[in-house]
Amino acid sequence: MELTRLLLILSTVAFVVGVVHAIAALRAGRWQENKWQFLPMAVGFAFQCAFLYLRGEMHARCPLTSQFEVFIFIGWCIVLLYFLVGATYRLSLLGLFTAPLIAILQTLALLMPDNPGAVKHVKMSVWEHLHAPLAMIAYAAFALACITGVMFLLQDHLLKKHRIHALFRQLPPIHHLSRAIMRMVALGVLLLAVAMISTFKIHLAISAVKMTVSWSILGLYTVILLLMWRHTLSARHTAWLSVLGFMVPFLSLWVVIGR
């Protein structure tokens, strides 16, 4: 087995262990006492970093050359943003909701064909190096907005049903979740806008399909952000928008990669 594939498997196992550990701690009522909640996520992230480093050395560029690598890179970006924003937005349970998505993304990647030898080594400008990573980080921000939206809808459901149990007590307040959703969507829109503007400064050929899909995603999330900012819809409806909206960039990965 190749070292990179082994690292990916170990990373996926770490995220699954994190989910199992978090659920066990919640059911036992030991979540607040547990100081090692972040450890499985940190271990999985470390294996992701090692994987991306080796692939980057192999290609002499950012490892975004196939669907296989794109799925891992987006997963890495999601975990990175989780560490950066989780504490800031007081989303203590964000890891529990994030880890399953990462495990699914990496499992899908493991099922995909990998052909690193087909990559052409070409000299790239700074903008060309930044374009794809910025777009992927934007997608990661949209993914976290989706995950936070799921947390909001779960909290809203539990409140309406008057179900008070261990999970309910650990979920952040509704208003924290609502603000976090809007900030993650805003971050994603900003990064994707910069990534798309950079296309005017790069010389690599980008297909019409990829450009159309990418600009459409930017337009969709810009509308979602405006609706959130103007409070046109209720917080519950905007949470649904953040969840359902992520289906578009997620499904687009099968359309734009390799075109």
Side-chain angles (χ1 to χ4, degrees):
M1 181 182 296
E2 294 180 2
L3 177 58
T4 52
R5 191 162 287 266
L6 176 60
L7 289 170
L8 185 55
I9 292 173
L10 292 174
S11 175
T12 305
V13 170
F15 291 122
V16 172
V17 169
V19 175
V20 174
H21 180 264
I23 292 175
L26 280 171
R27 296 187 65 178
R30 295 182 287 102
W31 178 262
Q32 293 288 3
E33 301 172 8
N34 184 8
K35 298 179 180 180
W36 304 101
Q37 302 158 2
F38 68 93
L39 185 59
M41 296 289 287
V43 171
F45 183 70
F47 284 128
Q48 284 179 323
C49 290
F51 170 89
L52 292 174
Y53 172 79
L54 292 176
R55 299 290 290 205
E57 287 290 301
M58 181 188 303
H59 301 320
R61 55 173 289 186
C62 185
L64 287 169
T65 64
S66 64
Q67 279 187 335
F68 174 75
E69 291 179 348
V70 164
F71 273 54
I72 309 308
F73 193 86
I74 290 180
W76 176 82
C77 292
I78 293 173
V79 181
L80 177 62
L81 289 178
Y82 155 73
F83 283 122
L84 293 176
V85 309
T88 302
Y89 297 147
R90 301 179 183 178
L91 304 180
S92 58
L93 275 181
L94 186 60
L96 174 61
F97 288 80
T98 301
L101 175 61
I102 308 302
I104 291 171
L105 286 174
Q106 296 190 168
T107 300
L108 289 174
L110 286 167
L111 298 175
M112 294 176 180
D114 178 29
N115 187 20
V119 178
K120 296 180 180 179
H121 297 272
V122 295
K123 187 175 180 180
M124 300 171 66
S125 68
V126 173
W127 284 108
E128 288 164 341
H129 276 293
L130 287 177
H131 167 70
L134 283 176
M136 293 301 99
I137 297 172
Y139 278 31
F142 297 146
L144 274 186
C146 170
I147 294 167
T148 310
V150 171
M151 294 172 68
F152 180 102
L153 294 171
L154 178 59
Q155 177 82 303
D156 182 67
H157 174 76
L158 293 174
L159 282 170
K160 288 181 178 179
K161 297 296 183 179
H162 303 289
R163 294 179 180 176
I164 310 299
H165 49 63
L167 179 59
F168 177 85
R169 293 190 181 94
Q170 300 306 322
L171 284 168
I174 285 287
H175 62 279
H176 286 167
L177 293 170
S178 183
R179 286 202 302 265
I181 291 171
M182 188 170 71
R183 289 171 181 173
M184 293 312 302
V185 170
L187 176 62
V189 168
L190 174 63
L191 292 174
L192 187 55
V194 174
M196 295 311 298
I197 291 171
S198 72
T199 60
F200 298 112
K201 293 183 173 291
I202 64 180
H203 304 291
L204 295 178
I206 301 177
S207 71
V209 172
K210 183 180 292 187
M211 290 292 290
T212 300
V213 170
S214 299
W215 280 109
S216 298
I217 291 171
L218 178 59
L220 170 66
Y221 272 94
T222 300
V223 171
I224 291 175
L225 180 60
L226 288 173
L227 290 173
M228 292 178 176
W229 179 62
R230 293 177 61 87
H231 302 288
T232 305
L233 302 174
S234 67
R236 181 172 177 272
H237 287 148
T238 53
W240 272 113
L241 275 179
S242 69
V243 173
L244 298 177
F246 182 62
M247 297 301 102
V248 178
F250 181 74
L251 293 176
S252 75
L253 294 175
W254 277 273
V255 177
V256 300
I257 302 302
R259 289 181 178 269

